[in-house]
Amino acid sequence: MTNILLKVENLEKYFPTGKRSFFGKQEQVLKAVDNVSFEIKEGEIFGLVGESGCGKSTLGRCITRIIDSTAGSITFDGENITEADATRLKALRRQMQMVFQNPHSSLNPRMTIRQAFSEILKVHGLAKGKETERMEELLEKVGLPSNALDRHPHEFSGGQLQRIVIARALLVEPQFIMADEPVSALDVSVQAQILNLLVKLKEELSLTILFVAHDLSVVEHVSDRVAVMYLGEIVEMADVEQLYKNTLHPYTKALMAAIPIPDPNANRVDLILEGDLPSPIDLPEGCRFASRCVSCMEVCKKISPSLKEINLGHYVACHLYE
Ligand code: SF4
């Protein structure tokens, strides 16, 4: 049986807005992540997808403890890390690494790649006396020559820089990588190369990856399982094959319909999202997707649907399936 590496239970991240409600008593809060629960198995790529502002990046940052969550718990490798102190966090940083969207802002432009990598090895006390060997080994793993070490970030293309950022993350031999939109800032022509690289590294190094993206077609390419987020909540979660072949939630169906198909004769029913997106500081009482849902019923406006397992491993939060 595959072990669970990461367990997120009832996680919340609320941001105070500084504004008061209409009656002036309570401060309004933005519910970026609201009661989210899921697990990531060891060795899998878990895709987290949704529109901009749905809370997926905030969720990733809570999990890796870049920011503190408001409530709920995060268990990593059997340990509750929700309130880990500074000493424990330093050790955790080795096990949990991050790769962000823009590789240009992830690297110091004044430092050579050797200097940037050396700093990390020094902080973690790794590869003493064998620093160059270790750095070259990692560059080779991500498909770059060893002479890249003595160059500065501006001498590389966006795709090469993202490879360097991935190599830097791997320097400390992490178990888990949170990749937050790692190909969104890259040319389409190099996106597939970086995605293939992530899949190859996952296999070779037994990595577990949380892959955050707004594009369902990108997520499909790399993920083993996928969760779809809408306004701070997970609305559907399943194995990648089930999610793409048997899409259940009306929001996921709309996202699927937005994926461009290169064949002009392809027979597809277009589902265009209409209606207003509710404000995350003034969420509706019932289903958060009700104002844009083509299948909305009376019950949807009053009662919020909870995430339930409809088929084995396939979860959906929608009154259509109750
Ligand atoms: Fe649509 Fe109702 Fe399902 Fe929400 S609960 S997605 S409004 S059918």
Side-chain angles (χ1 to χ4, degrees), residues 249-251 287-290 293-297 300 305 317-320:
H249 197 282
Y251 174 60
C287 173
R288 293 178 186 183
F289 189 57
C293 181
V294 288
S295 312
C296 182
M297 305 171 283
C300 307
C318 175
H319 291 305
L320 288 174

Side-chain angles (χ1 to χ4, degrees), residues 112 116-117 120 128 145 152 190 244 267 291 303 309 311 322:
T112 62
F117 281 17
I120 295 188
K128 281 182 189 154
H152 286 84
V190 292
Y244 285 77
N267 197 7
S291 60
I303 300 170
E309 192 170 19
N311 299 314
E322 286 176 348

Side-chain angles (χ1 to χ4, degrees), residues 32-36 54 228-235 288 304-305:
V33 176
D34 201 12
N35 198 21
V36 165
C54 72
V228 180
M229 273 189 90
Y230 185 76
L231 279 176
E233 295 179 324
I234 289 181
V235 294
R288 293 178 186 183
S304 174

Side-chain angles (χ1 to χ4, degrees), residues 272-320:
I272 296 170
L273 279 180
E274 288 176 351
D276 293 328
L277 187 73
S279 161
I281 57 169
D282 187 19
L283 290 164
E285 194 183 338
C287 173
R288 293 178 186 183
F289 189 57
S291 60
R292 302 167 86 193
C293 181
V294 288
S295 312
C296 182
M297 305 171 283
E298 267 317 298
V299 63
C300 307
K301 295 177 191 162
K302 294 183 192 119
I303 300 170
S304 174
S306 49
L307 194 68
K308 289 187 184 136
E309 192 170 19
I310 304 297
N311 299 314
L312 187 65
H314 193 159
Y315 297 78
V316 65
C318 175
H319 291 305
L320 288 174

Side-chain angles (χ1 to χ4, degrees), residues 47-308:
L48 190 60
V49 70
E51 293 167 292
S52 293
C54 72
K56 55 191 188 306
S57 293
T58 306
L59 176 56
R61 283 166 163 76
C62 288
I63 289 170
T64 45
R65 295 292 323 273
I66 297 173
I67 55 174
D68 290 333
S69 45
T70 309
S73 74
I74 306 152
T75 307
F76 180 76
D77 204 12
E79 176 193 351
N80 187 340
I81 60 161
T82 324
E83 284 168 15
D85 61 17
T87 317
R88 186 64 198 117
L89 271 184
K90 190 186 164 198
L92 272 175
R93 292 272 171 268
R94 222 191 117 177
Q95 292 166 284
M96 303 174 102
Q97 284 285 304
M98 279 74 75
V99 173
F100 293 109
Q101 179 175 354
N102 187 348
H104 297 274
S105 57
S106 298
L107 292 160
N108 184 338
R110 292 172 204 275
M111 283 173 134
T112 62
I113 306 309
R114 183 188 298 278
Q115 287 167 330
F117 281 17
S118 301
E119 202 175 45
I120 295 188
L121 291 177
K122 199 171 161 194
V123 166
H124 291 281
L126 296 167
K128 281 182 189 154
K130 292 186 177 168
E131 290 88 349
T132 301
E133 225 170 88
R134 178 81 184 129
M135 292 187 250
E136 287 180 352
E137 182 198 340
L138 262 306
L139 283 180
E140 196 195 323
K141 270 212 183 311
V142 299
L144 289 174
S146 54
N147 64 11
L149 276 180
D150 294 309
R151 289 155 68 187
H152 286 84
H154 72 268
E155 297 176 67
F156 297 96
S157 67
Q160 288 171 325
L161 274 186
Q162 198 59 302
R163 286 174 190 269
I164 289 168
V165 171
I166 293 169
R168 185 183 62 176
L170 298 176
L171 270 178
V172 293
E173 299 174 4
Q175 280 177 280
F176 177 82
I177 289 192
M178 195 272 284
D180 188 1
E181 303 266 12
V183 297
S184 305
L186 304 178
D187 289 344
V188 176
S189 57
V190 292
Q191 285 188 1
Q193 295 170 17
I194 299 295
L195 295 175
N196 290 338
L197 174 67
L198 282 173
V199 174
K200 179 185 94 107
L201 292 170
K202 179 206 92 158
E203 296 296 336
E204 281 180 15
L205 305 171
S206 307
L207 292 168
T208 303
I209 301 177
L210 171 62
F211 186 91
V212 179
H214 64 274
D215 184 337
L216 262 177
S217 58
V218 166
V219 169
E220 181 185 15
H221 192 76
V222 294
S223 306
D224 298 298
R225 285 191 305 134
V226 178
V228 180
M229 273 189 90
Y230 185 76
L231 279 176
E233 295 179 324
I234 289 181
V235 294
E236 187 161 6
M237 179 166 63
D239 284 354
V240 71
E241 235 185 273
Q242 258 200 79
L243 190 93
Y244 285 77
K245 283 195 184 143
N246 181 28
T247 313
L248 297 179
H249 197 282
Y251 174 60
T252 318
K253 286 183 184 176
L255 287 183
M256 293 282 185
I259 299 174
I261 298 179
D263 177 4
N265 300 316
N267 197 7
R268 184 174 75 181
V269 182
D270 277 341
L271 264 176
I272 296 170
L273 279 180
E274 288 176 351
D276 293 328
L277 187 73
S279 161
I281 57 169
D282 187 19
L283 290 164
E285 194 183 338
C287 173
R288 293 178 186 183
F289 189 57
S291 60
R292 302 167 86 193
C293 181
V294 288
S295 312
C296 182
M297 305 171 283
E298 267 317 298
V299 63
C300 307
K301 295 177 191 162
K302 294 183 192 119
I303 300 170
S304 174
S306 49
L307 194 68
K308 289 187 184 136

